[in-house]
Amino acid sequence: MRQRNKPWADDFLRENTDLIIPNANEYKNKWKDLFGNDSPIHVEIGTGKGQFIVGMARQYPHINFIGIELSKSVIVTAAQKVQESGLSNIRLIQENAENLLELFMENEVDTIYLNFSDPWPKNRHEKRRLTFRTFLERYEEVLHPSGELIFKTDNRGLFEYSLVSFSEYGLLLKEVSLDLHRDDDPENIMTEYEEKFSAKGQPIYRCKAVFN
Ligand code: SAM
């Protein structure tokens, strides 16, 4: 994701704490209180500029969406999109997904989305991939037993790696699409990266998996 330095980002974060939640670990096991309802919690990791989470929150008003994004200069763009949407079922957290267990209690999350995660193609960077075993351990902990992990990417290498990683971990693959747009899921919401790569004719891969 292209990251321009945004000198106003710090001020924006300070002024919009209702949307980009500071000290988000204080809401562990209390996210439903923050939203003020009992709707399911869906978490997107690596939210980027926010197109997916806003589209999903509009399509599913009875689901609460939380976007986790590492980059300050990227998350402020997502936050602006959320503000323009006027939707109240989205919150954002500027955090590294490594710290997921500090943010959510066991079983607190109903679905996790990984969209176009950084591929980290070098072997020595394997541990940074969001589908590496140690991340799967965290997802298993916070996901409800019936919860789903939904992963989309244009990167065939990362997709193949992730399918193996999921299977070795013991995840059950519920759906695997090797060309999501040709399979034509009318409910699919495109991310920024998805639009960019599919416009170039690249197939989009998607996997839905559950922890047994
Ligand atoms: N999901 C968006 C999309 O599909 O358009 C953005 C994809 S971009 C390739 C990956 C995003 O994940 C970047 O914005 C990056 O900052 C974020 N990211 C990477 N590693 C992360 C981590 N460990 N925790 C949270 N966000 C992360």
Side-chain angles (χ1 to χ4, degrees):
M1 165 115 344
R2 194 152 169 220
Q3 299 181 15
R4 287 197 184 87
N5 185 31
K6 294 181 183 147
W8 50 271
D10 281 319
D11 285 343
F12 188 93
L13 288 176
R14 263 192 300 276
E15 289 160 11
N16 293 281
T17 54
D18 52 334
L19 175 55
I20 307 173
I21 308 297
N23 306 320
N25 53 339
E26 291 173 8
Y27 289 96
K28 181 173 176 171
N29 210 23
K30 294 184 192 143
W31 288 102
K32 288 189 177 173
D33 297 344
L34 181 71
F35 283 102
N37 59 49
D38 208 28
S39 298
I41 305 270
H42 288 201
V43 172
E44 183 189 19
I45 296 178
T47 295
K49 295 180 181 168
Q51 177 169 302
F52 176 82
I53 202 163
V54 170
M56 290 293 281
R58 188 175 288 123
Q59 185 160 283
Y60 302 104
H62 300 298
I63 295 175
N64 297 320
F65 289 89
I66 299 175
I68 301 177
E69 169 55 52
L70 186 57
S71 163
K72 194 192 303 179
S73 56
V74 172
I75 202 169
V76 290
T77 301
Q80 288 176 318
K81 276 204 188 80
V82 176
Q83 286 176 330
E84 284 160 23
S85 76
L87 293 163
S88 60
N89 57 333
I90 310 178
R91 298 291 185 280
L92 301 173
I93 305 173
Q94 194 221 331
E95 187 58 87
N96 191 324
E98 282 179 7
N99 302 321
L100 201 66
L101 300 187
E102 291 166 29
L103 301 172
F104 300 101
M105 187 56 101
E106 201 180 325
N107 298 346
E108 196 174 5
V109 177
D110 294 278
T111 300
I112 292 178
Y113 304 95
L114 305 175
N115 288 323
F116 299 79
S117 309
D118 295 327
W120 295 108
K122 292 185 179 146
N123 283 341
R124 69 172 191 274
H125 292 146
E126 181 189 8
K127 289 181 183 167
R128 298 185 191 178
R129 296 176 196 153
L130 291 178
T131 53
F132 182 63
R133 172 171 34 82
T134 52
F135 280 102
L136 301 184
E137 284 166 7
R138 296 174 178 112
Y139 306 154
E140 182 176 27
E141 170 101 12
V142 302
L143 267 178
H144 189 270
S146 63
E148 277 189 327
L149 177 64
I150 305 181
F151 171 53
K152 284 199 284 191
T153 183
D154 65 298
N155 188 302
R156 190 174 177 116
L158 180 66
F159 193 64
E160 288 173 351
Y161 166 86
S162 303
L163 292 184
V164 172
S165 180
F166 294 166
S167 298
E168 285 181 351
Y169 193 84
L171 276 148
L172 180 70
L173 306 182
K174 280 179 66 185
E175 176 205 288
V176 176
S177 172
L178 300 179
D179 193 342
L180 178 62
H181 293 186
R182 204 169 52 186
D183 291 348
D184 193 25
D185 175 354
E187 293 183 2
N188 182 50
I189 297 286
M190 286 211 262
T191 79
E192 278 91 355
Y193 268 60
E194 185 169 356
E195 272 190 359
K196 188 167 112 187
F197 290 115
S198 60
K200 289 182 184 168
Q202 289 179 225
I204 303 301
Y205 306 102
R206 184 174 72 185
C207 172
K208 294 186 179 182
V210 289
F211 291 90
N212 279 313

